[in-house]
């Protein structure tokens, strides 16, 4: 329902200019109040074509811009992001709902990706070999792909786009971003700041839309590669569609991240760590811990005893309120989904130790708030264990050994993150080695790699061969070309040779 004052209209950004062409208008809400805050233009097909044409025409000049000049734009951009941090965090909180301190954390991690991008010229250096044959030299260089696209989710509206386009444009590509329709304002402001920093028009364009826009972008002959972050079903469909057309694609999907708690762990410390990892951002993080695997009944009982009062005491409210620990979910449908999983868990025989459906926030009855939930005696066949809930729900599975815990994790179809709480180095080493998961923490609940590593899960959490950001992003957004050369003055071709070339000739 629209609020009485007319909401602002959010448009695309094509060739450095706002563009309000729309096939349809979609409502953007403040999830804390349930009120509409803006309307968003979903692009028609001509608008998508214009964005592609703009990126294509900017490409030749940007590709040939010296990498150090491109880096200067990134340095200025980083400074602008820092100068506008408060404004950006307000926008994130208003549309996403996460608490301000969490929005700040997101932005800082995004800025780290910009810092990494500033140093990309170092990683673009090629490989050179002299005298691979008589007076013949050979080298490999990493050339940009051309026009590439990125499709991003709602849960990190500022950070996930910054995983993608700074690396892509620093490698010499031009980029089209299709952000989430739920919280588009912070990313648009960030793209404006990139232009203020000196990014030439057309190098980075933003179009909004849903499935039709995404499919048009993937299918466009001028688009060379696709980066996607979102839910697994869509990640898989996008990966299939792009790769069928021979396009490079990395599609990061959903998650169900386990934290194993060993009997020798510091239980109070593990409980504190789990509170932030499970309930931060209302559980709407792809690295959120959603399963605690307790090794032994005594460990499980102690963990539940430590967690229960903390889950009940979570400070829930509008994200801008000081001291607030958890905001709302992103939509009313998300709230209903989380509630339905809790009901399914109860129906399947799990024990709802804390039932978040009972919480509400006075004065924000129309907001999409739900309390934190703690569910014990969950078994692997239950939907509350199998599916990504993407809400503030921590389930506890009881096992008898580390071996059983690793087996449990390895049988799960998701493989994004996991962690182990222990004081035992041998257990830690065995866990890190055996677990079939892309990002592993030892006494670190959210092992999100820093920007100069790369981020990627295994199994249904990532389709493609290269992870997001860091060194993998440079490989993803470039193509190796190997050149072998001889000059007539240094080695005349004086006879025809039919044998396959070797180091002798
Ligand atoms: P989503 O899959 O609903 O949407 C992601 C993007 O895809 C959005 O831009 C959306 O507009 C677009 N989209 C939606 N339907 C589409 C369709 N049918 N065809 C093509 N594009 C479509 O995800 P979300 O709800 O925005 O984000 C939450 C999900 O993202 C969770 O599953 C979470 O685990 C995942 N996620 C994963 C990572 C990771 O790194 N693995 C990071 C963040 C979020």
């Amino acid at each position: 329902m629209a609020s009485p004052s007319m909401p602002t209209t959010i448009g695309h950004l094509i060739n450095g200019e706002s563009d309000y062409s729309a096939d349809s208008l979609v409502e953007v809400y403040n999830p804390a109040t349930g009120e509409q805050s803006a309307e968003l233009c979903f692009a028609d097909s001509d608008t998508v074509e214009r964005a592609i044409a703009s990126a294509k025409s900017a490409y030749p000049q940007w590709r040939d811009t010296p990498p150090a000049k491109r880096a200067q734009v990134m340095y200025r951009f980083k400074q602008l992001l820092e100068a506008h941090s408060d404004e950006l965090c307000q926008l994130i909180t208003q549309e996403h709902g996460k608490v301000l301190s969490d929005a700040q954390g997101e932005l800082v991690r995004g800025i780290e990706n910009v810092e990494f991008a500033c140093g990309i010229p170092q990683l673009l250096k090629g490989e050179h070999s002299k005298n691979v044959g008589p007076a013949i030299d050979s080298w490999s260089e990493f050339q940009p792909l051309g026009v590439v696209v990125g499709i991003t989710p709602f849960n990190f509206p500022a950070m996930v786009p910054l995983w993608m386009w700074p690396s892509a444009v620093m490698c010499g590509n031009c980029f089209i971003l299709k952000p989430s329709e739920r919280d588009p304002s912070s990313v648009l402001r960030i793209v404006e700041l990139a232009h203020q920093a000196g990014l030439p028009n057309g190098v980075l364009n933003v179009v909004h839309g849903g499935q039709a826009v995404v499919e048009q972008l993937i299918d466009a002959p001028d688009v060379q590669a696709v980066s996607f972050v979102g839910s697994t079903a869509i990640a898989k469909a996008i990966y299939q569609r792009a790769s069928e057309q021979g396009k490079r694609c990395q599609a990061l999907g959903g998650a169900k991240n386990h934290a194993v708690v060993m009997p020798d762990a510091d239980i109070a410390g593990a409980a504190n760590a789990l509170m932030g990892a499970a309930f931060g951002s209302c559980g709407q993080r792809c690295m959120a811990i959603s399963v605690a695997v307790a090794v032994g009944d005594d460990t499980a009982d102690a963990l539940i005893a430590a967690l229960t009062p903390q889950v009940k005491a979570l400070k829930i409210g509008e994200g801008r309120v000081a001291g607030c620990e958890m905001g709302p979910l992103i939509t009313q449908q998300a709230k209903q989904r989380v509630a339905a999983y809790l009901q399914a868990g109860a129906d399947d025989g799990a024990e709802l130790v804390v039932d978040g459906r009972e919480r509400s926030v006075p004065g924000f009855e129309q907001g999409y708030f739900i309390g934190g939930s703690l569910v014990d005696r969950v078994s692997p066949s239950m939907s509350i264990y199998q599916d990504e809930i993407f809400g503030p729900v921590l389930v506890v599975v009881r096992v008898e050994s580390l071996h059983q815990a690793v087996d449990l994790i390895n049988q799960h179809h998701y493989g994004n993150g996991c962690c182990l709480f222990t004081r035992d180095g041998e257990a830690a080493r065995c866990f890190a080695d055996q677990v079939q998961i892309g990002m592993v923490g030892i006494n670190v609940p959210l092992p999100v790699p820093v920007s100069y590593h790369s981020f990627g899960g295994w199994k249904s959490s990532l389709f493609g061969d290269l992870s997001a950001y860091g060194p993998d992003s440079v490989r993803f957004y470039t193509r190796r070309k190997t050149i072998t050369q001889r000059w007539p003055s240094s080695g005349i071709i004086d006879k025809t040779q039919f044998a396959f070339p070797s180091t002798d000739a």
Side-chain angles (χ1 to χ4, degrees):
M1 197 52 126
S3 60
S5 56
M6 215 24 235
T8 47
T9 302
I10 301 173
H12 323 284
L13 203 128
I14 299 174
N15 207 31
E17 291 186 2
S18 299
D19 184 314
Y20 295 91
S21 319
D23 196 32
S24 56
L25 292 168
V26 171
E27 291 146 356
V28 179
Y29 291 94
N30 178 339
T33 60
E35 285 174 358
Q36 187 183 346
S37 58
E39 57 181 14
L40 178 70
C41 300
F42 263 31
D44 52 25
S45 148
D46 286 350
T47 309
V48 176
E49 283 304 326
R50 271 204 311 288
I52 297 169
S54 156
K56 189 180 175 189
S57 77
Y59 176 60
Q61 199 175 346
W62 183 246
R63 174 200 136 116
D64 290 340
T65 300
K69 288 253 175 243
R70 299 200 288 249
Q72 284 164 8
V73 176
M74 281 294 144
Y75 278 115
R76 287 194 294 270
F77 174 52
K78 171 190 143 60
Q79 286 166 342
L80 285 172
L81 285 175
E82 284 166 348
H84 290 263
S85 164
D86 287 348
E87 172 199 352
L88 292 169
C89 292
Q90 291 284 346
L91 288 174
I92 295 170
T93 293
Q94 185 183 317
E95 289 180 352
H96 177 284
K98 64 177 72 175
V99 299
L100 268 181
S101 57
D102 194 26
Q104 279 152 3
E106 157 171 12
L107 189 61
V108 166
R109 292 303 293 261
I111 291 173
E112 286 173 11
N113 293 110
V114 179
E115 288 166 354
F116 173 80
C118 291
I120 278 181
Q122 164 73 6
L123 297 175
L124 288 177
K125 288 192 299 194
E127 301 154 348
H128 187 268
S129 297
K130 194 170 173 161
N131 290 331
V132 295
I136 299 174
D137 302 332
S138 184
W139 73 90
S140 295
E141 59 189 43
F142 298 96
Q143 297 197 343
L145 306 176
V147 178
V148 298
V149 307
I151 301 127
T152 54
F154 81 85
N155 66 323
F156 285 106
M159 180 183 78
V160 171
L162 291 172
W163 285 2
M164 298 177 181
W165 71 260
S167 279
V169 305
M170 271 305 300
C171 290
N173 300 283
C174 290
F175 203 90
I176 301 169
L177 178 65
K178 205 304 286 172
S180 171
E181 63 278 22
R182 308 255 180 246
D183 43 14
S185 293
S186 60
V187 65
L188 261 187
R189 185 72 187 110
I190 286 171
V191 171
E192 280 171 16
L193 293 175
H195 285 85
Q196 198 177 318
L199 197 69
N201 291 345
V203 172
L204 172 61
N205 305 275
V206 181
V207 288
H208 303 288
Q211 183 172 359
V213 166
V214 170
E215 290 180 352
Q216 189 183 346
L217 285 169
I218 297 173
D219 296 350
D222 287 319
V223 168
Q224 307 296 329
V226 181
S227 296
F228 173 87
V229 176
S231 52
T232 284
I234 298 172
K236 194 170 179 182
I238 283 180
Y239 184 77
Q240 278 169 347
R241 194 176 186 106
S243 17
E244 264 166 27
Q245 300 178 59
K247 298 191 181 187
R248 191 174 286 188
C249 184
Q250 53 178 186
L252 283 72
K256 192 85 178 177
N257 305 311
H258 298 63
V260 179
V261 183
M262 294 290 283
D264 70 343
D266 164 8
I267 298 291
N272 288 342
L274 286 175
M275 284 303 298
F279 302 107
S281 203
C282 209
Q284 299 174 115
R285 292 180 182 145
C286 64
M287 289 292 276
I289 294 290
S290 44
V291 185
V293 185
V295 178
D297 275 332
D298 288 349
T299 311
D301 292 344
L303 191 65
I304 296 276
L307 284 168
T308 303
Q310 294 196 58
V311 179
K312 285 184 177 162
L314 270 169
K315 295 192 188 75
I316 303 171
E318 209 264 356
R320 287 176 298 184
V321 174
C324 193
E325 295 168 336
M326 197 173 93
L329 286 163
I330 187 71
T331 57
Q332 184 65 25
Q333 294 88 316
K335 181 175 168 175
Q336 284 161 355
R337 232 175 68 89
V338 173
Y341 272 112
L342 289 168
Q343 189 55 49
D347 294 346
D348 289 343
E351 185 186 330
L352 268 61
V353 181
V354 184
D355 185 347
R357 293 174 296 181
E358 292 158 5
R359 287 283 296 267
S360 65
V361 177
F364 290 87
E365 284 74 14
Q366 302 309 310
Y368 314 137
F369 291 98
I370 194 165
S373 293
L374 181 64
V375 190
D376 193 10
R377 301 190 186 278
V378 168
S379 66
S381 59
M382 297 177 183
S383 64
I384 199 171
Y385 171 77
Q386 283 296 330
D387 299 350
E388 180 183 50
I389 300 175
F390 223 55
V393 180
L394 180 63
V395 307
V396 179
V397 179
R398 295 168 176 241
V399 297
E400 284 166 15
S401 65
L402 176 61
H403 180 72
Q404 267 187 14
V406 171
D407 262 4
L408 179 80
I409 297 173
N410 288 352
Q411 279 167 33
H412 205 286
H413 60 105
Y414 286 121
N416 220 35
C418 68
C419 91
L420 177 74
F421 290 102
T422 187
R423 290 184 167 103
D424 178 345
E426 192 177 350
R429 188 169 188 271
C430 166
F431 181 77
D433 184 52
Q434 298 292 315
V435 78
Q436 301 291 305
I437 299 287
M439 292 168 284
V440 180
I442 305 296
N443 298 315
V444 173
L446 293 177
V448 179
V450 292
S451 64
Y452 43 95
H453 285 253
S454 292
F455 180 109
W458 288 11
K459 300 186 270 185
S460 300
S461 296
L462 171 67
F463 302 92
D465 300 313
L466 290 168
S467 296
Y469 69 76
D472 268 16
S473 70
V474 178
R475 290 294 161 263
F476 184 80
Y477 293 121
T478 60
R479 188 173 282 155
R480 176 188 290 269
K481 180 181 277 183
T482 305
I483 298 145
T484 304
Q485 109 176 340
R486 154 165 64 192
W487 293 98
S489 59
S490 57
I492 302 296
I493 303 171
D494 56 359
K495 61 177 192 299
T496 303
Q497 178 188 299
F498 292 97
F500 199 64
S502 70
T503 49
D504 296 329

